[in-house]
Every structure is written in C-alpha cells, then in structure tokens.
Amino acid sequence: MSSAKVFVITGPSGVGKGTLIRGLLERIPELELSVSATTRAARPGERDGVDYHFLTQDEFERRVAAGDFVEHAAYSGNRYGTLRSELERRLDVGVPVVLEIEVQGARQVRETVPDAVAVFISPPSRDALRVRLVGRGTDAAEEVDERLRTADRELESHHEFGHVVVNDRLEQATEELAAIVRGVLG
Ligand code: 5GP
C-alpha cells in the first residue's frame, strides 16, 4: 500500500479529535477522513457510511478474518477498525487521508504504515477531559467512567507519537495541527 500521506490523529475519547479534524479539513480541503467500521450502536443522528460503517459482530469478525482491516481494536466493549479499502481508494489517486482512531489502533498503523504521521491530542488536564465527556452527553455515566479509565492509560502513551497537540484553546490547537499537516504535505 502506498503510505504516502496518512495522518493518524489519536488520543483519548472526549479530547476533541473530531472537532479538531473538522477544523483541519476546512483548512486543508484536499484531506479526506477515512470512515471507520464499528460494532457500537449508532448514536442519534449518526449515519451509516458517513459517521461509521456500522457492522454486526459477525460481519466485523468476518472482515477481520478476510484481512480487510489495516488496524482494529477493542474499545469500551466494542470493536473499531480502519478498512483497507477506505485508505487504498484514496491513496491510489494521491488523496491524503486522515484517520481518527484510539491508541491501540494508532500503534498498529505505526507498524503497518511506518511513514504515517501520528499526532497525539492531549487534554489540558484529566479534569477537562471528564468535563467534556460528561458535557457532550453521548455516553451513560458508567460508559464515561470506563472511557476515563482507558484515557488514563492512553495519556501515558503520548510520548510514543511523533507530535503532541494540547487541545486547550480550540482555535490554537487546530492551527497547530494544520501546521503539522502542511509541513508534511509541503
Ligand atoms: P466513539 O465510540 O466515541 O465514536 O469512539 C471511541 C474511540 O474509538 C475514539 O477514541 C475513536 O477515536 C476510536 N475510533 C474510531 N474509529 C476507530 C478505528 O477505526 N480504529 C480504532 N482503533 N479506533 C477508532
């Protein structure tokens, strides 16, 4: 697979990866976001094929066995993964791709796509992360606790990635992220 222009945006749930990526895509329109597959239930307003490819457990397993994933991980009781097809159809025509994935998946991409550029998004504090996870209202209380426990492990791994952006002030963090991407795309 061409590994020319793959940008991996990783970091804990609730840190604002999605919002930062929206800002990044506005600033650098040639970038495209890979649509992940997941076994998690769609949240209200989420659309199949747009926000995620929503798969059953069986379908996800079948596609793992078929070698359809570049990376996949279990996260908070569900499966998530990047479909090879999402990357290839873009890279084959020279379109740079952004992946929004958790840390285990980002590690796998580091192995399989060694010159992918990884950016770890960090919260200004653990408290800020809790406030955001609770405030966005998408997850039940136990789910928030589970995500925070996972976040504690994920935060320890920030040094593994090439770049770290602290998402304190959104505008500034988006600019930092865009500067990293522009620096690579030239
Ligand atoms: P959520 O359930 O909040 O949509 O996503 C939970 C976590 O899974 C987030 O950290 C998100 O970035 C991550 N995630 C989304 N898609 C993928 C994927 O394709 N692979 C991996 N490894 N993680 C993903």
Side-chain angles (χ1 to χ4, degrees):
M1 188 190 308
S2 157
S3 55
K5 306 277 161 34
V6 177
F7 296 94
V8 177
I9 313 301
T10 192
S13 176
V15 78
K17 300 192 290 290
T19 310
L20 282 169
I21 289 172
R22 273 197 296 281
L24 180 67
L25 298 178
E26 276 167 22
R27 284 167 175 77
I28 309 179
E30 69 178 292
L31 291 172
E32 289 187 14
L33 180 61
S34 165
V35 179
S36 293
T38 185
T39 61
R40 137 164 113 54
R43 294 175 180 141
E46 284 185 333
R47 285 175 298 160
D48 189 29
V50 177
D51 299 287
Y52 278 107
H53 300 288
F54 293 101
L55 304 183
T56 63
Q57 279 288 352
D58 284 355
E59 181 67 0
F60 198 100
E61 273 312 320
R62 193 190 64 69
R63 300 203 68 168
V64 171
D68 286 354
F69 287 106
V70 177
E71 61 76 30
H72 60 91
Y75 177 91
S76 207
N78 289 298
R79 314 283 299 274
Y80 295 81
T82 303
L83 290 165
R84 202 170 289 283
S85 56
E86 285 282 324
L87 282 192
E88 281 179 351
R89 70 189 167 85
R90 296 185 172 97
L91 296 177
D92 285 353
V93 292
V95 172
V97 187
V98 178
L99 309 184
E100 191 228 297
I101 63 180
E102 52 68 73
V103 167
Q104 304 166 73
R107 288 193 182 114
Q108 292 171 46
V109 174
R110 206 168 49 203
E111 302 297 318
T112 53
V113 191
D115 58 358
V117 174
V119 184
F120 186 94
I121 311 296
S122 188
S125 69
R126 188 178 184 278
D127 262 7
L129 195 62
R130 174 184 286 280
V131 166
R132 283 187 204 169
L133 273 173
V134 172
R136 74 180 185 181
T138 47
D139 302 297
E142 302 99 76
E143 175 69 22
V144 167
D145 287 341
E146 168 74 23
R147 284 175 182 239
L148 275 170
R149 276 194 295 277
T150 305
D152 286 336
R153 286 196 300 277
E154 291 180 320
L155 288 170
E156 285 170 13
S157 61
H158 68 270
H159 59 272
E160 293 176 26
F161 299 97
H163 304 269
V164 178
V165 169
V166 179
N167 189 13
D168 189 357
R169 293 196 300 125
L170 179 63
E171 191 65 19
Q172 188 186 329
T174 310
E175 275 308 324
E176 276 177 41
L177 183 57
I180 292 166
V181 172
R182 283 193 197 102
V184 173
L185 292 179

